[in-house]
């Protein structure tokens, strides 16, 4: 019995690892469309359009994985988590807008790794609020601490590389670095609602449903209040169908990445899942440098700092995530789970079962006719935008676009298949 | 349609009203309990405060 339980735990651990890595590939690619900010639109307009793409993409193929009946039944079972999902969506929206400012001021290759230090913030909240790492072996704690130090060091190296790369400080380097650091804090804290939802046994697809509504509402409010209301460039951008598709595509790519990240958080916890999905830094750098030629004019010192910092960051993330949870840690997690059950009146055994993907037991997962209608409508919008799309006037290496797109498809197929086989997307 | 032309038989009004009142009271009780649980949960206030700080930073950066 104990052996099979340990084997199941290991199986879920590696499933989480696979989801985390796939999330990295997809989340890294999602940032590339924000390059459009150079085309004269405000960061708010770009962010709002991307979030509209995220919201629409949620209703494409993810609706087929679990129908609306299942998702809304899950949400109604744990109504209090809707508040947390909306809050997480709001945090994401503000952080994402900050990243657009950061990209504009210090560039994608530098801003991207800096805001990825959010895994340290997430780790801190994991330890403080959800009893993560309690009962962990000295080896695991060492891995986590050293990994954390690697990530901080890498962030500092990448921060300095901004200044060295321009010979002197870039005009708005400080503002850009502050925006990236702010995004890091917000995204790191966003994992508090994520973890709370999965400790309570919610399905990631249900959480993402309320989460995207929170994103869209917040982004709309920010654009309305800070970007000139009716005079915002978002209205001009909404009419530019040739550009709009690329932002919607960014939203689509992001949703896929976030779903994998949510599954990674569910099966590994914040401390391990988030650093793994933060390998998106590597993929973001690949898109920035290989496709958009961001480092083409960089000197050797600049390149050494960017590459060294990136490699160090990945090593740190891997050290943290290879610290496999022991049974004593699982006991500690179950204590955090019991707290949620006590506070919000949840059934302990049902929630415990949900940790391995079994949220409802025998409850129906049948798709309804309106699920098909929703999927067709959302997909139709993407197709309509794609028909009107024009490749943005940016220098891009199409060979590398093909290679990186192939990497996306391989990650999707591999992690998607594993999720289906082990948990049926539970 | 009932015999006297009304849509609802008057004898049904009391149980229907009671049903709605009970549902309302249960919902109110549930909402009050959940609101209390959420507002006294430190895990709610941490993200909320960070969100407020993030909005302030965004306003600052946007204004400079």
């Amino acid at each position: 019995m104990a052996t099979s339980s340990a084997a199941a735990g290991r199986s879920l651990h590696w499933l989480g690892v696979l989801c985390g890595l796939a999330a990295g590939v997809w989340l890294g690619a999602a940032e590339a469309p924000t390059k459009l900010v150079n085309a004269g639109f405000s960061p708010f307009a770009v962010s709002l359009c991307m979030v509209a793409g995220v919201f629409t993409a949620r209703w494409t193929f993810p609706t087929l994985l679990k129908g609306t009946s299942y998702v809304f039944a899950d949400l109604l079972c744990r109504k209090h988590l809707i508040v947390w999902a909306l809050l997480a969506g709001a945090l994401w929206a503000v952080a994402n807008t900050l990243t657009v400012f950061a990209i504009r001021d210090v560039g994608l290759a530098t801003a991207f790794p800096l805001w990825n230090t959010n895994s340290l913030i997430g780790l801190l909240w994991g330890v403080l609020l959800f009893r993560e790492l309690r009962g962990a072996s000295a080896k695991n704690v060492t891995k986590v601490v050293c990994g954390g130090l690697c990530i901080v060091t890498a962030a500092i190296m990448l921060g300095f590389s901004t200044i060295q790369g321009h010979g002197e400080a870039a005009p708005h380097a400080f503002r850009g670095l502050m925006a990236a650091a702010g995004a890091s804090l917000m995204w790191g804290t966003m994992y508090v609602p994520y973890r709370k939802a999965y400790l309570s046994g919610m399905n990631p697809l249900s959480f993402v449903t309320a989460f995207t509504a929170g994103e869209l509402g917040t982004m709309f409010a920010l654009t309305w209040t800070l970007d000139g209301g009716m005079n915002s460039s978002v209205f001009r951008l909404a009419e530019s169908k040739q550009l709009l598709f690329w932002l919607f595509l960014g939203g689509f790519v992001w949703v896929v990445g976030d779903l994998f990240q949510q599954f990674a958080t569910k099966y590994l916890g914040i401390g391990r899942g988030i650093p793994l999905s933060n390998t998106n830094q590597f993929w973001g750098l690949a898109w920035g440098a290989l496709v958009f030629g961001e480092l083409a004019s960089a000197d050797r010192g600049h390149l050494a700092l960017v590459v060294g910092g990136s490699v160090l960051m990945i090593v740190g993330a891997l050290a943290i995530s290879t610290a496999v949870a022991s049974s004593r840690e699982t006991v500690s997690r179950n204590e955090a789970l019991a707290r949620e059950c006590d506070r919000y009146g949840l059934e302990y055994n049902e929630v415990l079962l949900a940790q391995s993907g079994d949220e409802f037991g025998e409850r129906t997962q049948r798709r309804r006719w309106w699920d098909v209608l929703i999927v067709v409508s959302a997909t139709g919008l993407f197709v309509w935008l794609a028909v009107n799309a024009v490749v943005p006037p940016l220098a891009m290496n199409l060979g590398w676009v093909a290679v990186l797109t192939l990497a996306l498809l391989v990650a999707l197929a591999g992690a998607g298949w594993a999720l289906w086989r082990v948990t049926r997307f539970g | 349609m009932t015999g006297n032309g009304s849509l609802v038989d008057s004898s049904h009004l009391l149980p229907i009203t009671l049903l709605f009142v009970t549902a309302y009271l249960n919902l109110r009780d549930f909402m009050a309990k959940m609101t209390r649980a959420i507002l006294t949960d430190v895990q709610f206030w941490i993200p909320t405060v960070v969100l407020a700080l993030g909005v302030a930073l965004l306003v600052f950066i946007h204004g400079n």
Side-chain angles (χ1 to χ4, degrees):
Chain A
M1 185 67 181
T3 312
S4 75
S5 167
R10 269 197 304 278
S11 165
L12 288 174
H13 174 85
W14 289 112
L15 177 65
V17 168
L18 197 58
C19 288
L21 291 174
V25 182
W26 280 82
L27 291 173
E31 295 298 331
T34 58
K35 294 287 289 179
L36 275 176
V37 78
N38 295 328
F41 299 104
S42 78
F44 295 100
V46 172
S47 203
L48 177 57
C49 288
M50 194 174 163
V51 166
V54 166
F55 184 79
T56 312
R58 157 65 188 94
W59 298 105
T60 56
F61 81 91
T63 308
L64 291 177
L65 303 180
K66 296 277 184 192
T68 47
S69 307
Y70 178 96
V71 164
F72 286 106
D74 193 18
L75 283 169
L76 289 175
C77 270
R78 302 165 182 89
K79 295 181 194 73
H80 67 284
L81 289 174
I82 296 173
V83 176
W84 264 270
L86 293 173
L87 189 57
L91 282 164
W92 187 92
V94 177
N96 191 56
T97 312
L98 285 170
T99 66
V100 183
F101 276 103
I103 291 170
R104 193 176 68 178
D105 291 340
V106 292
L108 185 65
T110 302
F112 211 107
L114 188 57
W115 73 60
N116 269 350
T117 54
N118 63 52
S119 58
L120 282 182
I121 316 266
L123 178 63
L124 179 73
W125 294 135
V127 171
L128 290 178
L129 302 177
F130 300 114
R131 305 182 60 84
E132 289 191 11
L133 285 177
R134 303 270 174 95
S137 65
K139 187 180 166 190
N140 274 357
V141 173
T142 307
K143 275 182 174 179
V144 171
V145 171
C146 290
L149 286 174
C150 281
I151 290 173
V152 171
T153 310
I156 293 168
M157 284 169 70
L158 291 160
F160 273 114
S161 76
T162 321
I163 297 167
Q164 185 177 323
H166 295 279
E168 58 185 49
H172 301 295
F174 179 70
R175 192 174 71 177
L177 291 174
M178 222 165 58
S184 172
L185 174 67
M186 301 200 70
W187 271 331
T189 307
M190 179 184 77
Y191 301 126
V192 172
Y194 276 39
R195 189 61 184 140
K196 200 169 182 70
Y198 302 131
L199 271 178
S200 307
M202 184 171 256
N203 184 285
L205 287 155
S206 314
F207 185 80
V208 166
T209 303
F211 176 85
T212 51
E215 279 180 328
L216 192 62
T218 307
M219 219 38 254
F220 186 78
L222 286 176
T223 306
W224 191 263
T225 52
L226 298 177
D227 200 36
M230 284 299 289
N231 298 319
S232 168
S233 60
V234 73
F235 295 106
R236 197 156 42 88
L237 184 52
E239 286 169 10
S240 311
K241 293 181 194 68
Q242 72 277 15
L243 293 178
L244 202 55
F245 171 71
W246 302 106
L247 288 177
F248 265 61
L249 186 64
F252 179 87
V253 174
W254 187 87
V255 158
V256 179
D258 188 57
L259 278 172
F260 282 130
Q261 187 178 42
Q262 307 265 0
F263 279 110
T265 308
K266 177 167 184 176
Y267 295 122
L268 295 176
I270 301 174
R272 293 167 173 84
I274 301 308
L276 261 188
S277 59
N278 278 1
T279 51
N280 66 347
Q281 174 269 325
F282 174 80
W283 297 100
L285 185 69
W287 279 91
L290 302 173
V291 174
F292 297 110
E294 279 196 351
L295 301 178
S297 60
D299 59 27
R300 292 182 75 171
H302 177 93
L303 281 176
L305 278 172
V306 171
V307 174
S310 301
V311 170
L312 194 59
M313 192 169 273
I314 291 169
V315 168
L318 285 175
I320 292 172
S321 52
T322 51
V324 182
S326 62
S327 55
R328 281 175 64 197
E329 271 196 85
T330 308
V331 170
S332 177
R333 180 205 68 182
N334 292 347
E335 285 170 11
L337 190 151
R339 173 202 184 268
E340 294 302 304
C341 293
D342 287 346
R343 179 171 276 272
Y344 295 103
L346 302 170
E347 175 58 44
Y348 180 80
N349 288 325
E350 191 182 285
V351 173
L352 196 60
L353 262 179
Q355 303 307 306
S356 53
D358 183 9
E359 292 98 348
F360 285 151
E362 291 153 15
R363 199 170 296 191
T364 178
Q365 299 192 24
R366 200 152 57 92
R367 277 57 159 185
R368 309 284 184 163
W369 61 266
W370 58 80
D371 289 331
V372 177
L373 191 67
I374 289 169
V375 173
V376 169
S377 305
T379 310
L381 181 60
F382 272 94
V383 171
W384 179 67
L385 288 171
V387 168
N388 292 294
V390 173
V391 178
L394 290 171
M396 288 190 282
N397 185 323
L398 294 180
W400 279 114
V401 170
V403 171
L404 292 172
T405 304
L406 185 66
L408 286 171
L409 295 175
V410 169
L412 177 67
W417 178 78
L419 267 175
W420 168 253
R421 196 174 57 87
V422 181
T423 69
R424 296 286 190 270
F425 300 108
Chain B
M1 190 75 79
T2 59
N4 61 9
S6 162
L7 279 174
V8 182
D9 189 326
S10 59
S11 67
H12 291 157
L13 277 177
L14 185 63
I16 289 172
T17 309
L18 277 177
L19 188 73
F20 273 101
V21 168
T22 311
Y24 168 75
L25 290 176
N26 280 339
L27 182 69
R28 199 182 64 167
D29 180 50
F30 172 80
M31 292 302 287
K33 233 169 26 189
M34 278 299 134
T35 305
R36 201 165 41 244
I38 289 170
L39 292 181
T40 54
D41 191 345
V42 69
Q43 292 174 8
F44 172 73
W45 288 106
I46 290 169
T48 305
V49 170
V50 169
L51 177 63
L53 289 174
V55 172
L57 177 64
L58 192 59
V59 172
F60 173 75
I61 287 175
H62 179 59
N64 287 279

